[in-house]
């Protein structure tokens, strides 16, 4: 069976890898990170109705609850933290009933999934007809690949076959194993995505983030950052938006995608 060889965690040049509780604590003391995550989640509200039933899979710190306004929104992860609404939920086999949710959120989680095809099959199963899979993910652009080579906290491999259900794309025994090429291989060629994941239609696709990503200090793994005033952060976001729109393959470090179940 073919599989991806993940980066050795010992190479990581960032701090506190996988320390989710520390990351939650640091979030409230880092205006840069709060601004970044607000922008990562606030756009999703446009695709969520007031009475919709929704869940985030692989929520990590669970900070999404600060920015998703739907009162029926729940969070889950493959862990036992007290802040979770649903604990020990495997995104490839959630055990939820069919047609349970109007929307599912996945934020920077798919590049950790060992079998992407199985993930989409499970999301299709638990979403209602017309339900939406709302995705925020890495964009493995030129600068993202440079950052990954410098910080060595995650790896990337464009040679894998993300649409082969037998191909192991990350280490299934390591929750923090990652292949940052997965989102590009899934979504860059929209026709190929639709040919292989036929139960979903792409209804939103955009790119974002550069300077604000680099100077966030890290969402979970931590590194140095320069605290900035909100005015500067907003100015940088405007610059990021222009760079991401004009040159996504060079500058954009994130992407937003919404898939609608047919």
């Amino acid at each position: 069976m073919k599989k991806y060889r993940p980066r050795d965690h010992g190479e990581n040049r960032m701090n506190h890898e996988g320390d989710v509780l520390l990351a939650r604590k640091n979030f409230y003391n880092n205006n840069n990170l709060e601004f970044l995550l607000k922008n990562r989640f606030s756009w999703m509200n446009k695709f969520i109705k007031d009475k919709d039933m929704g869940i985030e899979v692989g929520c990590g710190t669970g900070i999404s609850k600060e920015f998703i306004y739907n009162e029926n929104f729940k969070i889950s992860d493959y862990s036992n933290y007290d802040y979770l609404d649903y604990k020990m939920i495997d995104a490839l086999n959630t055990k939820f009933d069919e047609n349970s949710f109007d929307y599912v959120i996945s934020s920077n989680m798919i590049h950790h999934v060992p079998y992407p095809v199985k993930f989409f099959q499970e999301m299709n199963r638990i979403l209602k007809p017309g339900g939406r899979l709302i995705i925020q993910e890495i964009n493995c652009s030129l600068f993202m690949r440079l950052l990954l080579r410098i910080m060595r906290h995650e790896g990337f491999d464009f040679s894998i076959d993300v649409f082969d259900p037998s191909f192991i794309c990350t280490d299934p025994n390591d929750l923090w194993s990652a292949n940052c090429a997965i989102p590009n291989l899934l979504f860059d060629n929209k026709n190929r995505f639709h040919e292989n994941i036929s139960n979903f239609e792409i209804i939103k696709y955009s790119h974002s983030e550069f300077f604000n990503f680099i100077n966030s200090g890290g969402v979970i793994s931590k590194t140095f950052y320069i605290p900035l005033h909100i005015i500067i952060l907003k100015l940088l976001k405007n610059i990021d938006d222009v760079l991401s729109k004009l040159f996504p393959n060079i500058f954009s470090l994130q992407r937003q995608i919404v898939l609608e179940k047919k």
Side-chain angles (χ1 to χ4, degrees):
M1 181 178 292
K2 297 179 291 184
K3 61 181 180 179
Y4 162 65
R5 293 184 180 180
R7 185 180 296 280
D8 187 336
H9 292 295
E11 299 179 56
N12 190 354
R13 292 172 179 166
M14 298 185 76
N15 302 314
H16 308 294
E17 180 183 30
D19 193 337
V20 175
L21 295 180
L22 179 63
R24 279 177 62 86
K25 180 180 178 181
N26 287 341
F27 164 78
Y28 296 101
N29 300 311
N30 181 342
N31 288 335
N32 292 20
L33 182 59
E34 182 177 356
F35 181 82
L36 182 85
L37 294 181
K38 179 179 180 181
N39 285 298
R40 283 192 182 179
F41 288 107
S42 60
W43 69 269
M44 299 179 180
N45 289 296
K46 297 179 181 179
F47 298 91
I48 300 170
K49 298 177 182 178
D50 290 342
K51 295 184 179 181
D52 280 353
M53 301 296 295
I55 191 168
E56 181 178 7
V57 292
C59 73
T61 60
I63 296 299
S64 56
K65 275 207 165 180
E66 298 283 337
F67 307 113
I68 301 299
Y69 307 135
N70 174 250
E71 63 181 13
N72 298 317
F73 175 55
K74 305 296 183 183
I75 58 175
S76 71
D77 204 354
Y78 196 68
S79 59
N80 281 308
Y81 296 118
D82 291 339
Y83 60 83
L84 296 170
D85 296 303
Y86 295 100
K87 302 176 182 180
M88 300 307 297
I89 299 298
D90 181 354
L92 304 185
N93 185 18
T94 64
K95 307 297 186 183
F96 294 125
D97 292 338
E98 293 184 9
N99 304 322
S100 293
F101 300 104
D102 297 290
Y103 68 94
V104 176
I105 289 175
S106 169
S107 178
N108 284 278
M109 193 274 291
I110 294 176
H111 69 277
H112 292 285
V113 171
Y115 303 100
V117 170
K118 293 181 181 179
F119 170 74
F120 290 110
Q121 290 172 343
E122 179 66 0
M123 296 302 101
N124 176 69
R125 190 186 69 80
I126 66 174
L127 278 167
K128 299 176 183 178
R132 292 170 172 177
L133 177 55
I134 305 173
I135 300 168
Q136 176 84 28
E137 257 300 342
I138 278 178
N139 181 45
C140 205
S141 61
L142 177 63
F143 269 97
M144 176 57 80
R145 296 195 296 271
L146 178 61
L147 289 173
L148 293 170
R149 291 186 185 279
I150 292 172
M151 303 310 296
R152 297 181 176 274
H153 61 297
E154 293 178 350
F156 62 92
D157 180 359
F158 282 88
S159 70
I160 65 170
D161 186 354
V162 292
F163 296 111
D164 181 349
S166 67
F167 197 107
I168 305 175
C169 297
T170 65
D171 184 351
N173 299 312
D174 179 2
L175 295 177
W176 297 104
S177 173
N179 183 346
C180 293
I182 289 175
N184 292 69
L185 294 170
L186 284 169
F187 301 115
D188 281 357
N189 187 330
K190 298 182 185 65
N191 289 333
R192 188 170 183 228
F193 176 83
H194 285 132
E195 288 172 1
N196 288 275
I197 312 294
S198 59
N199 293 319
F200 287 101
E201 184 74 25
I202 298 175
I203 64 171
K204 175 182 170 58
Y205 188 100
S206 61
H207 292 87
S208 65
E209 295 186 24
F210 183 60
F211 290 113
N212 278 325
F213 180 107
I214 294 171
N215 194 42
S216 67
V219 177
I220 295 181
S221 296
K222 298 301 177 183
T223 190
F224 171 80
Y225 70 97
I226 301 172
L228 297 176
H229 190 276
I230 186 64
I231 294 176
I232 304 300
L233 293 171
K234 289 181 178 179
L235 175 61
L236 289 177
K237 182 183 183 302
N238 290 334
I239 296 173
D240 287 357
D241 289 346
V242 172
L243 292 175
S244 295
K245 183 175 182 178
L246 295 179
F247 310 105
N249 295 331
I250 299 175
F251 294 103
S252 171
L253 305 179
Q254 287 274 299
R255 66 179 74 212
Q256 296 84 33
I257 297 169
V258 179
L259 305 179
E260 189 170 85
K261 178 178 174 179
K262 295 180 180 178

